[in-house]
Amino acid sequence: MSKKILVLHTGGTISMQADASGAVVTSQDNPMNHVSNPLEGVEVHALDFF
């Protein structure tokens, strides 16, 4: 039986990044979608909440 983890992405600071001028801006790209899941038997569901 696999375990399940729900990841809620609410926008916040994790999706912010610096632009070319150094200003911090939000991004439409959720960086958590690019994280691999090295754990066997764990199913991860990511949900963009906002």
Side-chain angles (χ1 to χ4, degrees):
M1 176 180 210
S2 68
K3 298 189 182 283
K4 296 181 181 182
I5 297 174
L6 174 62
V7 178
L8 297 175
H9 179 248
T10 59
T13 56
I14 197 165
S15 67
M16 298 182 90
Q17 53 190 315
D19 65 11
S21 70
V24 177
V25 295
T26 58
S27 171
Q28 294 298 317
D29 182 38
N30 178 348
M32 295 306 293
N33 289 335
H34 306 288
V35 176
S36 64
N37 180 15
L39 304 174
E40 290 187 30
V42 176
E43 186 177 337
V44 177
H45 296 275
L47 175 65
D48 289 332
F49 193 73
F50 291 111

Coordinates of all heavy atoms in Angstrom, one line a residue:
M1 N 0.8 -1.2 0.0 CA 0.0 0.0 0.0 C 0.9 1.2 0.0 O 1.7 1.4 0.9 CB -0.9 0.0 1.2 CG -1.7 1.2 1.4 SD -2.8 1.1 2.9 CE -4.1 2.0 2.3
S2 N 0.7 2.1 -1.0 CA 1.5 3.3 -1.0 C 0.9 4.4 -0.1 O -0.3 4.5 0.1 CB 1.6 3.8 -2.5 OG 0.4 4.3 -2.9
K3 N 1.8 5.3 0.3 CA 1.4 6.4 1.1 C 1.2 7.6 0.2 O 1.8 7.7 -0.9 CB 2.5 6.8 2.1 CG 2.7 5.7 3.1 CD 3.6 6.2 4.2 CE 3.9 5.1 5.2 NZ 2.8 4.8 6.1
K4 N 0.3 8.5 0.5 CA 0.0 9.6 -0.3 C 0.3 10.9 0.4 O 0.0 11.1 1.6 CB -1.5 9.6 -0.8 CG -1.8 8.4 -1.6 CD -3.3 8.5 -2.0 CE -3.6 7.2 -2.9 NZ -5.0 7.2 -3.4
I5 N 0.8 11.9 -0.3 CA 1.1 13.2 0.2 C 0.5 14.2 -0.7 O 0.7 14.2 -1.9 CB 2.7 13.5 0.3 CG1 3.3 12.5 1.2 CG2 2.9 14.9 0.7 CD1 4.8 12.6 1.2
L6 N -0.3 15.2 -0.1 CA -0.9 16.3 -0.9 C -0.1 17.5 -0.6 O 0.1 17.9 0.5 CB -2.3 16.5 -0.4 CG -3.0 17.7 -1.1 CD1 -3.1 17.6 -2.6 CD2 -4.4 17.9 -0.5
V7 N 0.4 18.2 -1.7 CA 1.2 19.4 -1.5 C 0.3 20.5 -2.1 O -0.1 20.5 -3.2 CB 2.5 19.3 -2.4 CG1 3.3 20.6 -2.3 CG2 3.4 18.1 -1.9
L8 N 0.0 21.5 -1.2 CA -0.8 22.7 -1.6 C 0.2 23.8 -1.9 O 0.9 24.3 -1.0 CB -1.8 23.0 -0.5 CG -2.8 22.0 -0.2 CD1 -3.7 22.5 1.0 CD2 -3.7 21.7 -1.4
H9 N 0.2 24.3 -3.2 CA 1.0 25.4 -3.5 C 0.1 26.7 -3.5 O -0.8 26.8 -4.3 CB 1.6 25.2 -4.9 CG 2.4 26.4 -5.4 ND1 2.0 27.2 -6.4 CD2 3.6 26.8 -4.9 CE1 3.0 28.1 -6.6 NE2 3.9 27.9 -5.7
T10 N 0.4 27.6 -2.6 CA -0.5 28.8 -2.4 C 0.1 30.0 -3.1 O -0.4 31.1 -2.9 CB -0.7 29.1 -0.9 OG1 0.6 29.3 -0.3 CG2 -1.4 27.9 -0.3
G11 N 1.1 29.9 -3.9 CA 1.7 31.1 -4.5 C 2.9 31.6 -3.7 O 4.0 31.2 -3.9
G12 N 2.6 32.4 -2.8 CA 3.6 32.9 -1.8 C 5.0 33.1 -2.3 O 5.3 33.2 -3.5
T13 N 6.0 33.0 -1.4 CA 7.4 33.3 -1.7 C 8.0 32.2 -2.5 O 9.0 32.4 -3.1 CB 8.2 33.6 -0.4 OG1 8.0 32.5 0.5 CG2 7.7 34.8 0.3
I14 N 7.5 31.0 -2.4 CA 8.2 29.9 -3.1 C 8.2 30.1 -4.7 O 9.0 29.6 -5.4 CB 7.7 28.5 -2.7 CG1 8.6 27.4 -3.2 CG2 6.3 28.3 -3.3 CD1 8.4 26.1 -2.5
S15 N 7.2 30.8 -5.1 CA 7.1 31.1 -6.6 C 7.7 32.4 -7.0 O 7.5 32.8 -8.1 CB 5.6 31.0 -7.0 OG 4.9 32.1 -6.5
M16 N 8.3 33.1 -6.1 CA 8.9 34.4 -6.4 C 10.4 34.2 -6.8 O 11.1 33.3 -6.4 CB 8.8 35.3 -5.2 CG 7.4 35.6 -4.8 SD 7.3 36.8 -3.5 CE 7.2 38.3 -4.4
Q17 N 10.8 35.1 -7.7 CA 12.2 35.0 -8.2 C 12.6 36.4 -8.6 O 11.8 37.3 -8.9 CB 12.4 34.0 -9.3 CG 11.4 34.2 -10.5 CD 11.5 33.0 -11.4 OE1 12.5 32.6 -11.7 NE2 10.3 32.6 -11.8
A18 N 13.9 36.6 -8.7 CA 14.5 37.9 -9.1 C 14.5 38.0 -10.6 O 14.8 37.0 -11.3 CB 15.9 38.1 -8.5
D19 N 14.1 39.2 -11.1 CA 14.2 39.4 -12.6 C 15.6 40.0 -12.9 O 16.5 40.0 -12.0 CB 13.1 40.3 -13.1 CG 13.1 41.7 -12.5 OD1 14.2 42.1 -11.9 OD2 12.2 42.5 -12.7
A20 N 15.8 40.4 -14.2 CA 17.1 40.8 -14.6 C 17.6 42.0 -13.8 O 18.8 42.2 -13.7 CB 17.1 41.1 -16.1
S21 N 16.7 42.9 -13.4 CA 17.1 44.1 -12.6 C 17.3 43.8 -11.1 O 17.7 44.7 -10.4 CB 16.1 45.2 -12.8 OG 14.9 44.9 -12.1
G22 N 17.0 42.6 -10.7 CA 17.1 42.3 -9.3 C 15.9 42.4 -8.5 O 15.8 42.1 -7.3
A23 N 14.8 42.9 -9.1 CA 13.5 43.1 -8.4 C 12.9 41.7 -8.2 O 13.0 40.8 -9.1 CB 12.6 44.0 -9.2
V24 N 12.2 41.5 -7.1 CA 11.6 40.2 -6.8 C 10.2 40.3 -7.4 O 9.4 41.2 -7.0 CB 11.6 39.9 -5.3 CG1 10.9 38.6 -5.0 CG2 13.0 39.8 -4.8
V25 N 9.8 39.3 -8.2 CA 8.5 39.3 -8.8 C 8.0 37.8 -8.7 O 8.7 36.9 -8.5 CB 8.6 39.7 -10.3 CG1 9.0 41.1 -10.5 CG2 9.5 38.8 -11.1
T26 N 6.6 37.7 -8.8 CA 6.0 36.4 -8.8 C 6.2 35.7 -10.1 O 6.4 36.4 -11.1 CB 4.5 36.5 -8.4 OG1 3.9 37.3 -9.3 CG2 4.3 37.0 -7.0
S27 N 6.1 34.4 -10.1 CA 6.2 33.6 -11.3 C 5.0 32.7 -11.4 O 4.4 32.3 -10.5 CB 7.5 32.8 -11.2 OG 7.5 31.8 -12.3
Q28 N 4.5 32.5 -12.7 CA 3.4 31.6 -12.9 C 3.9 30.1 -12.8 O 3.1 29.2 -12.7 CB 2.8 31.8 -14.3 CG 2.1 33.2 -14.4 CD 1.0 33.3 -13.5 OE1 0.2 32.4 -13.3 NE2 0.9 34.4 -12.8
D29 N 5.2 29.9 -12.8 CA 5.8 28.5 -12.8 C 5.9 28.1 -11.3 O 6.6 28.7 -10.5 CB 7.1 28.5 -13.5 CG 7.7 27.2 -13.5 OD1 7.0 26.2 -13.7 OD2 9.0 27.1 -13.4
N30 N 5.3 27.0 -11.0 CA 5.4 26.4 -9.7 C 6.7 25.6 -9.6 O 6.8 24.5 -10.2 CB 4.2 25.5 -9.4 CG 4.2 24.9 -8.0 OD1 5.3 24.9 -7.4 ND2 3.1 24.3 -7.6
P31 N 7.7 26.0 -8.9 CA 9.0 25.3 -8.8 C 8.8 23.9 -8.2 O 9.7 23.0 -8.5 CB 9.9 26.2 -8.0 CG 9.0 27.1 -7.2 CD 7.7 27.2 -8.0
M32 N 7.8 23.7 -7.5 CA 7.6 22.3 -6.9 C 7.2 21.3 -7.9 O 7.4 20.1 -7.7 CB 6.5 22.4 -5.8 CG 6.9 23.3 -4.6 SD 8.5 22.8 -3.8 CE 8.1 21.2 -3.2
N33 N 6.8 21.7 -9.1 CA 6.5 20.8 -10.2 C 7.8 20.2 -10.8 O 7.7 19.3 -11.6 CB 5.7 21.5 -11.3 CG 4.2 21.8 -10.8 OD1 3.7 21.1 -9.9 ND2 3.6 22.7 -11.4
H34 N 8.9 20.8 -10.4 CA 10.2 20.3 -11.0 C 11.0 19.5 -10.0 O 12.1 19.2 -10.3 CB 11.0 21.5 -11.5 CG 10.2 22.4 -12.5 ND1 9.9 22.0 -13.8 CD2 9.6 23.6 -12.3 CE1 9.2 23.0 -14.3 NE2 9.0 23.9 -13.5
V35 N 10.4 19.2 -8.9 CA 11.1 18.4 -7.9 C 10.8 17.0 -8.1 O 9.6 16.6 -8.2 CB 10.7 18.9 -6.4 CG1 11.3 18.0 -5.4 CG2 11.0 20.3 -6.2
S36 N 11.8 16.2 -8.2 CA 11.6 14.7 -8.4 C 11.2 14.1 -7.0 O 11.6 14.6 -6.0 CB 12.8 14.0 -9.0 OG 13.9 14.1 -8.1
N37 N 10.6 12.9 -7.1 CA 10.2 12.2 -5.9 C 11.0 10.9 -5.8 O 10.7 9.9 -6.5 CB 8.7 11.9 -6.0 CG 8.2 11.1 -4.8 OD1 8.9 11.0 -3.8 ND2 7.1 10.5 -4.9
P38 N 12.1 11.0 -5.0 CA 13.0 9.8 -5.0 C 12.5 8.7 -4.0 O 13.1 7.7 -3.9 CB 14.3 10.4 -4.4 CG 13.8 11.5 -3.5 CD 12.6 12.1 -4.2
L39 N 11.3 8.9 -3.4 CA 10.9 7.9 -2.4 C 10.0 6.8 -3.1 O 9.0 7.2 -3.8 CB 10.1 8.6 -1.3 CG 10.8 9.6 -0.5 CD1 9.9 10.3 0.4 CD2 12.0 9.1 0.2
E40 N 10.3 5.6 -3.0 CA 9.4 4.5 -3.5 C 8.2 4.3 -2.6 O 8.3 4.4 -1.4 CB 10.2 3.2 -3.6 CG 11.3 3.3 -4.7 CD 12.0 1.9 -4.9 OE1 11.3 0.9 -4.7 OE2 13.1 1.9 -5.3
G41 N 7.1 4.1 -3.2 CA 5.9 3.8 -2.4 C 5.2 5.0 -1.9 O 4.3 5.0 -1.1
V42 N 5.6 6.2 -2.4 CA 5.0 7.5 -2.0 C 4.5 8.2 -3.2 O 5.2 8.4 -4.2 CB 6.0 8.4 -1.2 CG1 5.3 9.7 -0.9 CG2 6.5 7.8 0.0
E43 N 3.2 8.5 -3.2 CA 2.5 9.1 -4.3 C 2.3 10.6 -3.9 O 1.6 10.9 -2.9 CB 1.2 8.4 -4.6 CG 0.5 8.9 -5.8 CD -0.8 8.1 -6.0 OE1 -0.9 6.9 -5.5 OE2 -1.7 8.6 -6.7
V44 N 2.8 11.5 -4.7 CA 2.7 13.0 -4.4 C 1.7 13.6 -5.4 O 1.8 13.4 -6.6 CB 4.0 13.7 -4.4 CG1 3.9 15.2 -4.2 CG2 5.0 13.1 -3.4
H45 N 0.7 14.4 -4.8 CA -0.2 15.1 -5.7 C 0.0 16.6 -5.3 O 0.0 17.0 -4.2 CB -1.7 14.8 -5.4 CG -2.0 13.4 -5.7 ND1 -2.4 13.0 -7.0 CD2 -2.0 12.2 -5.0 CE1 -2.6 11.7 -7.0 NE2 -2.4 11.2 -5.8
A46 N 0.3 17.4 -6.4 CA 0.5 18.9 -6.2 C -0.7 19.6 -6.7 O -1.2 19.3 -7.8 CB 1.8 19.3 -6.9
L47 N -1.2 20.6 -5.9 CA -2.4 21.3 -6.3 C -2.0 22.8 -6.2 O -1.6 23.3 -5.1 CB -3.5 21.0 -5.4 CG -4.8 21.8 -5.5 CD1 -5.4 21.5 -6.9 CD2 -5.8 21.4 -4.4
D48 N -2.2 23.6 -7.3 CA -2.0 25.0 -7.2 C -3.3 25.6 -6.7 O -4.3 25.6 -7.3 CB -1.7 25.6 -8.6 CG -0.4 25.2 -9.1 OD1 0.5 25.0 -8.3 OD2 -0.2 25.1 -10.4
F49 N -3.2 26.1 -5.4 CA -4.4 26.5 -4.7 C -4.9 27.9 -5.1 O -6.1 28.1 -5.2 CB -4.1 26.5 -3.2 CG -5.3 26.6 -2.3 CD1 -6.1 25.5 -2.1 CD2 -5.5 27.8 -1.6 CE1 -7.2 25.6 -1.3 CE2 -6.6 27.9 -0.8 CZ -7.5 26.8 -0.6
F50 N -4.0 28.8 -5.4 CA -4.4 30.1 -5.8 C -3.9 30.4 -7.2 O -2.9 30.1 -7.7 CB -3.8 31.2 -4.9 CG -4.5 31.2 -3.5 CD1 -3.8 30.8 -2.4 CD2 -5.8 31.6 -3.4 CE1 -4.4 30.8 -1.2 CE2 -6.4 31.6 -2.1 CZ -5.7 31.2 -1.0

